[in-house]
Amino acid sequence: MAIIGIDLGTTNSLACACREGKMVLIPNPLGQFLTPSAVSVEEDGSICVGAVAKERLVSHPEASAASFKRFMGTNHLFNLRGQNFTPQELSSFVLRQLKEDAERFLETEVTEAVISVPAYFNDNQRYATKQAGALAGIHVERLVNEPSAAALAASLVSQKEEGSYLVFDFGGGTLDVSIVDYFENVIEIIAVSGDNHLGGDDFDELIAQNFCKTHHMEYDELSAKERAVLLRLAENCKRELTAQKQAALTYGPEGKTLELNNILLADMSQKIFSRINRVISGALSDSGRTIEEIDEIILVGGSAKMPVISFYLQTCLGKKPCVIGSPDEIVATGAGIYAGIKERKEEIRDLVLTDICPFSLGTDIVNYSDRNNPIMSPVIERNTILPSSRTGFYTNSFDNQTHITVGIYQGESYYCLENIELGQIEMDIFPMPKGKACFELTFTYDINGILKVELTDCYQNIKKEKLLTAGGVRIPEEEVWRRAEELQDYKLIPPGGIRTKLVLARGERLFEQLLGEKRKAVASVMEQLQRALNSQNDQQLVKQMKEAEAVFDKLEELNL
Ligand code: ADP
Ligand code: MG
């Protein structure tokens, strides 16, 4: 039996296990470590996850979904081929795929996982992530914050254990900057700041929009499919600029082209850079640190690989960021180390792991100018080190008040209604003139996300207590198990045929994208491939697959 660490990303997910003291990334059936966090329902009702599903996002958008992590902990539903799925259900398919891949690779059952989540994830989002695990048949006791995982992995790889880190995590659609201290085996997140709608996708869109501008086309008037194709080409172009100095985007039947290099890209990206700058300044200012007090800037996430990003960081921070291994594998490696600690692998020293509360927890106080719109009074402020216990003192709001209802909220807004209500605690009180009563309200919040609220009437010495595991409406345990069983009916496509599926899915997508001779070339390759599949002659199939991949690569290399 094994415990694995999982980076369940918005764009890509991957898993890592600890084997003989070493961190081993787990390959998927295609031999890759990164599995796109995309899910698609096939014609026969089976589920595909990863690269095949990513291809189907373009060719079968009505049956496919991605970026569902954005909606974790909300009531948003995704409709795939007429069936509704919650974000945690879609995530559970990704987790099931990673679990099955790990079991095949490690040759043992995987029963438990440590999953990384963004430090700013609130209770609802954390709870939904655990639920995704339960739906996939994986026990998830511990969630770790992504920056803690990154710092832990970085310190282990660079063998430079002590220090203050700035973790710059730039993924597909999110930017998270955290200040993390690692001293004497204690990892502590000092501050987190982020932009939930800034990532690699913005560069794809920027390039696509520039393409349209250059060719006098209206980006907003493109159909959803045209846009998806153009964005995909823009992403390819962006990735090429990481490996080489120049790249081109060619699109449409007339072969319209946009030539790019990193200098041009940097020029176009000024708005993105200033948003990045704002996030970094926020994190530093919340931490009370200056950049000189930071020992190392750690680059995390696929978009942090971009030369324009490391160059920008170096100029704006005056410090060279450090790249440890592959930025998009570092969080999973860290989660794997946590899994190793959980397994009590002797090779891994026990670390004391400290977390912070990434949001404020508070109560409502009367707004005398608008009684229906109470004001938030924070009890535990964001970025407080956990576990934490804080007390606030409150009084009655009118003469001879005999009952109080104390609302418990999570969030940063001034008005309670704009924050998330976690619950209420009520108490009968001794009647007193306004402002004379005294209540003590104590919040105790622990590392597993459990909030204990104690309300004491100081004069009567009566105490009431309430435990809140998390906010919002919770699905009862039995309901989760029932749904987990239902989801078992959805079969993941078997690993054996996945490469064939990917080639077929890619062929379908290319057929949609291309025109004329190139389209015919795709059709003929597909036909031969189908014939080889029907012949059930393995040798023939392998040969045709290789040929198809070569033709598709060529068509894609030519940028269509
Ligand atoms: P997330 O944490 O959001 O799941 P990742 O860390 O895997 O995502 O980052 C995905 C993003 O990284 C995508 O926008 C992708 O285009 C980008 N990316 C991945 N590799 C490269 C590369 N070599 N050059 C530029 N961008 C890249
Ligand atoms: Mg990530």
Side-chain angles (χ1 to χ4, degrees), residues 381-410:
E381 288 208 278
R382 73 159 182 276
N383 292 339
T384 304
I385 292 167
L386 299 181
S388 165
S389 189
R390 299 278 161 95
T391 301
F393 291 92
Y394 298 91
T395 187
N396 50 352
S397 52
F398 55 89
D399 288 340
N400 299 321
Q401 189 175 349
T402 55
H403 189 84
I404 52 163
T405 307
V406 176
I408 299 142
Y409 293 86
Q410 164 191 319

mmCIF file of all heavy atoms in Angstrom, residues 381-410:
data_model
loop_
_atom_site.group_PDB
_atom_site.id
_atom_site.type_symbol
_atom_site.label_atom_id
_atom_site.label_comp_id
_atom_site.label_asym_id
_atom_site.label_seq_id
_atom_site.Cartn_x
_atom_site.Cartn_y
_atom_site.Cartn_z
ATOM 1 N N GLU A 381 -7.164 37.138 11.874
ATOM 2 C CA GLU A 381 -6.905 37.813 10.607
ATOM 3 C C GLU A 381 -6.133 36.926 9.649
ATOM 4 O O GLU A 381 -5.428 36.010 10.055
ATOM 5 C CB GLU A 381 -6.146 39.105 10.876
ATOM 6 C CG GLU A 381 -7.069 40.117 11.509
ATOM 7 C CD GLU A 381 -6.664 41.520 11.195
ATOM 8 O OE1 GLU A 381 -5.759 42.022 11.885
ATOM 9 O OE2 GLU A 381 -7.238 42.099 10.255
ATOM 10 N N ARG A 382 -6.287 37.226 8.366
ATOM 11 C CA ARG A 382 -5.602 36.401 7.367
ATOM 12 C C ARG A 382 -4.096 36.432 7.598
ATOM 13 O O ARG A 382 -3.554 37.381 8.149
ATOM 14 C CB ARG A 382 -5.939 36.869 5.949
ATOM 15 C CG ARG A 382 -5.293 38.140 5.538
ATOM 16 C CD ARG A 382 -5.236 38.286 4.028
ATOM 17 N NE ARG A 382 -4.561 39.524 3.688
ATOM 18 C CZ ARG A 382 -5.161 40.704 3.641
ATOM 19 N NH1 ARG A 382 -6.441 40.782 3.872
ATOM 20 N NH2 ARG A 382 -4.475 41.785 3.373
ATOM 21 N N ASN A 383 -3.444 35.347 7.198
ATOM 22 C CA ASN A 383 -2.003 35.183 7.355
ATOM 23 C C ASN A 383 -1.585 34.941 8.808
ATOM 24 O O ASN A 383 -0.415 35.053 9.144
ATOM 25 C CB ASN A 383 -1.209 36.353 6.774
ATOM 26 C CG ASN A 383 -1.327 36.400 5.250
ATOM 27 O OD1 ASN A 383 -1.658 35.380 4.635
ATOM 28 N ND2 ASN A 383 -1.054 37.528 4.657
ATOM 29 N N THR A 384 -2.542 34.613 9.681
ATOM 30 C CA THR A 384 -2.200 34.240 11.054
ATOM 31 C C THR A 384 -1.673 32.810 11.034
ATOM 32 O O THR A 384 -2.188 31.964 10.313
ATOM 33 C CB THR A 384 -3.472 34.280 11.942
ATOM 34 O OG1 THR A 384 -4.040 35.578 11.851
ATOM 35 C CG2 THR A 384 -3.150 33.959 13.395
ATOM 36 N N ILE A 385 -0.635 32.563 11.815
ATOM 37 C CA ILE A 385 -0.062 31.216 11.856
ATOM 38 C C ILE A 385 -0.981 30.274 12.634
ATOM 39 O O ILE A 385 -1.515 30.631 13.679
ATOM 40 C CB ILE A 385 1.343 31.264 12.480
ATOM 41 C CG1 ILE A 385 2.279 32.017 11.529
ATOM 42 C CG2 ILE A 385 1.874 29.865 12.764
ATOM 43 C CD1 ILE A 385 3.585 32.401 12.143
ATOM 44 N N LEU A 386 -1.181 29.081 12.084
ATOM 45 C CA LEU A 386 -2.070 28.105 12.709
ATOM 46 C C LEU A 386 -1.286 27.038 13.460
ATOM 47 O O LEU A 386 -0.168 26.747 13.086
ATOM 48 C CB LEU A 386 -2.929 27.436 11.637
ATOM 49 C CG LEU A 386 -3.840 28.367 10.844
ATOM 50 C CD1 LEU A 386 -4.650 27.569 9.842
ATOM 51 C CD2 LEU A 386 -4.764 29.118 11.784
ATOM 52 N N PRO A 387 -1.866 26.410 14.476
ATOM 53 C CA PRO A 387 -3.188 26.704 15.033
ATOM 54 C C PRO A 387 -3.185 28.040 15.760
ATOM 55 O O PRO A 387 -2.166 28.482 16.255
ATOM 56 C CB PRO A 387 -3.418 25.544 16.006
ATOM 57 C CG PRO A 387 -2.060 25.051 16.347
ATOM 58 C CD PRO A 387 -1.190 25.318 15.162
ATOM 59 N N SER A 388 -4.379 28.654 15.810
ATOM 60 C CA SER A 388 -4.446 29.968 16.412
ATOM 61 C C SER A 388 -5.714 30.102 17.235
ATOM 62 O O SER A 388 -6.745 29.544 16.904
ATOM 63 C CB SER A 388 -4.444 31.011 15.301
ATOM 64 O OG SER A 388 -4.838 32.254 15.802
ATOM 65 N N SER A 389 -5.605 30.828 18.324
ATOM 66 C CA SER A 389 -6.766 31.076 19.147
ATOM 67 C C SER A 389 -6.779 32.575 19.471
ATOM 68 O O SER A 389 -5.784 33.109 19.949
ATOM 69 C CB SER A 389 -6.662 30.243 20.424
ATOM 70 O OG SER A 389 -7.876 30.321 21.106
ATOM 71 N N ARG A 390 -7.869 33.245 19.128
ATOM 72 C CA ARG A 390 -7.960 34.688 19.374
ATOM 73 C C ARG A 390 -9.298 35.018 20.007
ATOM 74 O O ARG A 390 -10.297 34.373 19.721
ATOM 75 C CB ARG A 390 -7.854 35.479 18.061
ATOM 76 C CG ARG A 390 -6.556 35.308 17.302
ATOM 77 C CD ARG A 390 -5.451 36.205 17.868
ATOM 78 N NE ARG A 390 -4.146 35.719 17.438
ATOM 79 C CZ ARG A 390 -3.490 36.183 16.372
ATOM 80 N NH1 ARG A 390 -4.015 37.151 15.660
ATOM 81 N NH2 ARG A 390 -2.320 35.694 16.054
ATOM 82 N N THR A 391 -9.280 36.032 20.831
ATOM 83 C CA THR A 391 -10.507 36.423 21.517
ATOM 84 C C THR A 391 -10.857 37.874 21.216
ATOM 85 O O THR A 391 -9.963 38.720 21.156
ATOM 86 C CB THR A 391 -10.329 36.238 23.040
ATOM 87 O OG1 THR A 391 -10.013 34.872 23.269
ATOM 88 C CG2 THR A 391 -11.584 36.587 23.806
ATOM 89 N N GLY A 392 -12.127 38.131 21.024
ATOM 90 C CA GLY A 392 -12.596 39.506 20.865
ATOM 91 C C GLY A 392 -13.663 39.783 21.908
ATOM 92 O O GLY A 392 -14.331 38.852 22.372
ATOM 93 N N PHE A 393 -13.814 41.052 22.307
ATOM 94 C CA PHE A 393 -14.841 41.394 23.285
ATOM 95 C C PHE A 393 -15.927 42.227 22.626
ATOM 96 O O PHE A 393 -15.633 43.135 21.860
ATOM 97 C CB PHE A 393 -14.225 42.149 24.467
ATOM 98 C CG PHE A 393 -13.335 41.265 25.292
ATOM 99 C CD1 PHE A 393 -11.971 41.176 25.028
ATOM 100 C CD2 PHE A 393 -13.870 40.474 26.309
ATOM 101 C CE1 PHE A 393 -11.150 40.341 25.760
ATOM 102 C CE2 PHE A 393 -13.048 39.639 27.052
ATOM 103 C CZ PHE A 393 -11.687 39.570 26.773
ATOM 104 N N TYR A 394 -17.193 41.898 22.938
ATOM 105 C CA TYR A 394 -18.308 42.598 22.304
ATOM 106 C C TYR A 394 -19.346 42.963 23.362
ATOM 107 O O TYR A 394 -19.316 42.423 24.473
ATOM 108 C CB TYR A 394 -18.928 41.716 21.210
ATOM 109 C CG TYR A 394 -17.914 41.412 20.130
ATOM 110 C CD1 TYR A 394 -17.103 40.277 20.212
ATOM 111 C CD2 TYR A 394 -17.732 42.286 19.058
ATOM 112 C CE1 TYR A 394 -16.136 40.020 19.246
ATOM 113 C CE2 TYR A 394 -16.778 42.041 18.088
ATOM 114 C CZ TYR A 394 -15.985 40.903 18.184
ATOM 115 O OH TYR A 394 -15.024 40.661 17.243
ATOM 116 N N THR A 395 -20.266 43.828 22.979
ATOM 117 C CA THR A 395 -21.280 44.246 23.943
ATOM 118 C C THR A 395 -22.678 44.198 23.318
ATOM 119 O O THR A 395 -22.807 43.888 22.136
ATOM 120 C CB THR A 395 -20.942 45.655 24.493
ATOM 121 O OG1 THR A 395 -21.859 45.959 25.542
ATOM 122 C CG2 THR A 395 -21.024 46.711 23.389
ATOM 123 N N ASN A 396 -23.712 44.483 24.122
ATOM 124 C CA ASN A 396 -25.080 44.463 23.599
ATOM 125 C C ASN A 396 -25.340 45.717 22.781
ATOM 126 O O ASN A 396 -24.758 46.763 23.034
ATOM 127 C CB ASN A 396 -26.115 44.310 24.717
ATOM 128 C CG ASN A 396 -25.892 45.301 25.836
ATOM 129 O OD1 ASN A 396 -24.892 46.006 25.847
ATOM 130 N ND2 ASN A 396 -26.814 45.357 26.787
ATOM 131 N N SER A 397 -26.260 45.623 21.799
ATOM 132 C CA SER A 397 -26.421 46.764 20.903
ATOM 133 C C SER A 397 -27.662 47.593 21.208
ATOM 134 O O SER A 397 -27.867 48.626 20.599
ATOM 135 C CB SER A 397 -26.416 46.308 19.448
ATOM 136 O OG SER A 397 -27.351 45.276 19.267
ATOM 137 N N PHE A 398 -28.517 47.110 22.110
ATOM 138 C CA PHE A 398 -29.607 47.981 22.569
ATOM 139 C C PHE A 398 -29.983 47.660 24.025
ATOM 140 O O PHE A 398 -29.563 46.620 24.555
ATOM 141 C CB PHE A 398 -30.816 47.911 21.634
ATOM 142 C CG PHE A 398 -31.355 46.519 21.389
ATOM 143 C CD1 PHE A 398 -32.334 45.979 22.221
ATOM 144 C CD2 PHE A 398 -30.877 45.757 20.314
ATOM 145 C CE1 PHE A 398 -32.830 44.712 21.983
ATOM 146 C CE2 PHE A 398 -31.374 44.478 20.082
ATOM 147 C CZ PHE A 398 -32.347 43.948 20.906
ATOM 148 N N ASP A 399 -30.740 48.552 24.655
ATOM 149 C CA ASP A 399 -31.104 48.396 26.071
ATOM 150 C C ASP A 399 -31.898 47.117 26.293
ATOM 151 O O ASP A 399 -32.761 46.768 25.502
ATOM 152 C CB ASP A 399 -31.971 49.586 26.533
ATOM 153 C CG ASP A 399 -31.150 50.862 26.653
ATOM 154 O OD1 ASP A 399 -29.900 50.741 26.751
ATOM 155 O OD2 ASP A 399 -31.747 51.951 26.619
ATOM 156 N N ASN A 400 -31.602 46.467 27.397
ATOM 157 C CA ASN A 400 -32.351 45.278 27.835
ATOM 158 C C ASN A 400 -32.455 44.171 26.796
ATOM 159 O O ASN A 400 -33.442 43.450 26.733
ATOM 160 C CB ASN A 400 -33.753 45.668 28.318
ATOM 161 C CG ASN A 400 -33.646 46.606 29.506
ATOM 162 O OD1 ASN A 400 -32.775 46.414 30.369
ATOM 163 N ND2 ASN A 400 -34.488 47.622 29.534
ATOM 164 N N GLN A 401 -31.440 44.050 26.002
ATOM 165 C CA GLN A 401 -31.387 42.972 25.007
ATOM 166 C C GLN A 401 -31.328 41.643 25.764
ATOM 167 O O GLN A 401 -30.563 41.504 26.715
ATOM 168 C CB GLN A 401 -30.133 43.164 24.145
ATOM 169 C CG GLN A 401 -30.050 42.263 22.947
ATOM 170 C CD GLN A 401 -28.833 42.607 22.081
ATOM 171 O OE1 GLN A 401 -28.175 43.633 22.272
ATOM 172 N NE2 GLN A 401 -28.533 41.746 21.131
ATOM 173 N N THR A 402 -32.164 40.667 25.355
ATOM 174 C CA THR A 402 -32.190 39.402 26.098
ATOM 175 C C THR A 402 -31.649 38.226 25.291
ATOM 176 O O THR A 402 -31.545 37.116 25.793
ATOM 177 C CB THR A 402 -33.628 39.056 26.530
ATOM 178 O OG1 THR A 402 -34.442 39.050 25.360
ATOM 179 C CG2 THR A 402 -34.164 40.046 27.549
ATOM 180 N N HIS A 403 -31.339 38.476 24.039
ATOM 181 C CA HIS A 403 -30.870 37.366 23.200
ATOM 182 C C HIS A 403 -29.865 37.904 22.170
ATOM 183 O O HIS A 403 -30.080 38.971 21.608
ATOM 184 C CB HIS A 403 -32.074 36.748 22.470
ATOM 185 C CG HIS A 403 -31.746 35.485 21.747
ATOM 186 N ND1 HIS A 403 -31.722 34.264 22.379
ATOM 187 C CD2 HIS A 403 -31.409 35.251 20.458
ATOM 188 C CE1 HIS A 403 -31.386 33.326 21.492
ATOM 189 N NE2 HIS A 403 -31.193 33.905 20.318
ATOM 190 N N ILE A 404 -28.800 37.179 21.986
ATOM 191 C CA ILE A 404 -27.904 37.608 20.900
ATOM 192 C C ILE A 404 -27.662 36.464 19.921
ATOM 193 O O ILE A 404 -27.626 35.288 20.299
ATOM 194 C CB ILE A 404 -26.525 38.146 21.372
ATOM 195 C CG1 ILE A 404 -25.850 37.137 22.309
ATOM 196 C CG2 ILE A 404 -26.612 39.512 21.959
ATOM 197 C CD1 ILE A 404 -24.379 37.405 22.468
ATOM 198 N N THR A 405 -27.525 36.841 18.673
ATOM 199 C CA THR A 405 -27.160 35.895 17.623
ATOM 200 C C THR A 405 -25.867 36.407 17.010
ATOM 201 O O THR A 405 -25.822 37.531 16.520
ATOM 202 C CB THR A 405 -28.250 35.852 16.531
ATOM 203 O OG1 THR A 405 -29.494 35.609 17.170
ATOM 204 C CG2 THR A 405 -27.970 34.763 15.518
ATOM 205 N N VAL A 406 -24.830 35.581 17.118
ATOM 206 C CA VAL A 406 -23.535 36.003 16.604
ATOM 207 C C VAL A 406 -23.263 35.264 15.302
ATOM 208 O O VAL A 406 -23.255 34.042 15.263
ATOM 209 C CB VAL A 406 -22.427 35.676 17.639
ATOM 210 C CG1 VAL A 406 -21.048 36.012 17.093
ATOM 211 C CG2 VAL A 406 -22.688 36.420 18.928
ATOM 212 N N GLY A 407 -23.097 36.005 14.233
ATOM 213 C CA GLY A 407 -22.783 35.393 12.935
ATOM 214 C C GLY A 407 -21.283 35.161 12.822
ATOM 215 O O GLY A 407 -20.485 35.937 13.351
ATOM 216 N N ILE A 408 -20.911 34.076 12.135
ATOM 217 C CA ILE A 408 -19.492 33.775 11.965
ATOM 218 C C ILE A 408 -19.175 33.816 10.476
ATOM 219 O O ILE A 408 -19.814 33.119 9.685
ATOM 220 C CB ILE A 408 -19.153 32.406 12.582
ATOM 221 C CG1 ILE A 408 -19.465 32.459 14.082
ATOM 222 C CG2 ILE A 408 -17.691 32.041 12.368
ATOM 223 C CD1 ILE A 408 -20.031 31.210 14.623
ATOM 224 N N TYR A 409 -18.221 34.646 10.111
ATOM 225 C CA TYR A 409 -17.955 34.897 8.699
ATOM 226 C C TYR A 409 -16.494 34.676 8.341
ATOM 227 O O TYR A 409 -15.605 34.780 9.191
ATOM 228 C CB TYR A 409 -18.324 36.333 8.331
ATOM 229 C CG TYR A 409 -19.805 36.601 8.410
ATOM 230 C CD1 TYR A 409 -20.399 36.965 9.622
ATOM 231 C CD2 TYR A 409 -20.612 36.475 7.289
ATOM 232 C CE1 TYR A 409 -21.766 37.203 9.702
ATOM 233 C CE2 TYR A 409 -21.974 36.705 7.355
ATOM 234 C CZ TYR A 409 -22.546 37.076 8.561
ATOM 235 O OH TYR A 409 -23.883 37.303 8.634
ATOM 236 N N GLN A 410 -16.314 34.412 7.052
ATOM 237 C CA GLN A 410 -14.963 34.261 6.526
ATOM 238 C C GLN A 410 -14.826 35.180 5.320
ATOM 239 O O GLN A 410 -15.700 35.201 4.457
ATOM 240 C CB GLN A 410 -14.805 32.807 6.105
ATOM 241 C CG GLN A 410 -13.629 32.524 5.196
ATOM 242 C CD GLN A 410 -13.741 31.121 4.628
ATOM 243 O OE1 GLN A 410 -14.099 30.179 5.326
ATOM 244 N NE2 GLN A 410 -13.434 30.985 3.370
#
